[in-house]
Amino acid sequence: MWEDNKLPGRVAEWLNGLGSSLSALDGRCQTMAEFFKTEPIRFEGPDTTNPLAFRVYDADRIVAGKTMEEHLRIAVCYWHSFAWPGSDIFGDGTFDRPWIGNTSDPMGAARQKMDAAFEFFAKLGTPYFCFHDRDIAPDGADYGETVSNLHAMVDYAAEKMDETGVKLLWGTANVFSHPRFAAGAATNPDPEAFAFAASQVRHALEAAHRLGGTSYVLWGGREGYETLLNTSMKQEGEQLARFLTLVAEHKRKIGFTGQMFLEPKPQEPTKHQYDYDSATVHGFLERYDLLGEYYVNIEVNHATLGGHSFHHEVAYAVENGIFGSIDANRGDPQNGWDTDQFPNSVEELAPALHEIFAAGGFKGGGFNFDTKLRRQSLDRIDLFHGHIGGIDTLAKAFLVAMDLIEKETLSKARTDRYAGWKGDLGSYIMSDNASLEAISDKVLAERIDPKPVSGQQEALENLVNRAIWSERS
Ligand code: XLS
Ligand code: NI
Ligand code: NI
């Protein structure tokens, strides 16, 4: 039914199956609805006029020995794209999402939402998805029923993954929406809230394991404070460390070999979040002996909310050995909150991607599109437009980064800048033989007289821009 060139084999097979079962039913009693009236998205190159095609992202294109799909490991997120109706704090949902809001049959609605999600993943042609426990399975009448709902939906997800070939990048637990977590999950003053969150994370981690997830994320949305007047940061820090230790132990116990990520964010919804940024998380992991257990999932918009650039957050994590994964999106420089828009700036992404791929790329994790449509983008097709533009932007930034890496444009400038530290004086200072006194004597004896040299910032900025302008796409 659909031509299957440029589509991964299993996706094409599944879509053809969907197409023929629909035409066999001849519109009389459709058992499997089609939610997105579009053909699968293909790579058509830079000159296409088709708005529903990739111009840069060519999944099968080989770059430095691997396909773009293997390098970028793109995931679609379940929450913003399928579980959110387009509501905001001042208004109700605006989106055309027939799978949301069927309160009389919550499990039927959850299956319908999953049908829609997997149809979208398969048609977009990206390899991974990410989810929270509560995105895929509704709360039951009691917690026991909530857990069985999750198990049932994980079984259903396993079937869908098998049919479509779409894989799980990471899973996570929503331990921030329910009122029981208003004062935190792991950092709640009430140990019962800690215990409840521990149970949710246990089940979400086991779900990710069962579905073959490459990794697992903990975002501490409520792990922070609203006021210091009622908060002990020391007590809450110890609770958080205990929680993370228990989770790491359970990961080993069940044999989950994926990487574990913490997702830094400075604030929102809390006034202050403990996982403020990469450096804060690094210090925390070091303090509680958790280095090597957790890595960071860096979100572009969280970096900018923290007063950093995305480049800064990635460079810090890569250089300190805690880099894990990326939540791809962008903020709005006019707004002070997490707008989670689709990426549209190669200039913003390319330097950060340069750090990631110069260090060898992902060891787990990938680029998860933690992205939201604007509330006025009502139509289901807008989900395709957002992802296509964001993915092409990412692909272009990736090609620019690989070009800079191949030509050693930036790495050479950086190595040259620190060359003195490989020479006699640099090695001596770093050795145990040196003392402040001996270094001082050396300055006098050898008439050391440092001359400032240009940092060449503008020249380097020009080289990056030239790579952006000239990169063949
Ligand atoms: C919210 C976070 C969240 C995490 C997953 O700001 O980005 O979406 O990625 O819990
Ligand atoms: Ni995120
Ligand atoms: Ni976010």
Side-chain angles (χ1 to χ4, degrees), residues 435-451:
S435 65
L436 197 66
E437 196 182 7
I439 295 170
S440 159
D441 290 347
K442 213 173 169 51
V443 171
L444 285 171
E446 296 175 20
R447 296 174 184 237
I448 289 176
D449 183 13
K451 302 277 182 305

Side-chain angles (χ1 to χ4, degrees), residues 80 219 263 265 268 299 301-302 327 329 338 340 370:
H80 295 319
W219 170 59
E263 184 175 326
K265 186 173 184 181
E268 195 208 19
E299 180 165 315
N301 203 167
H302 297 183
D327 270 6
N329 61 19
D338 198 12
D340 289 333
D370 192 351

Side-chain angles (χ1 to χ4, degrees), residues 40-58 385 388-389 392 473:
I41 310 304
R42 294 196 178 77
F43 170 70
E44 292 184 8
D47 300 326
T48 185
T49 54
N50 179 1
L52 292 169
F54 292 118
R55 283 159 175 69
V56 190
Y57 180 70
D58 179 1
H385 291 296
I388 289 169
D392 268 345
S473 58

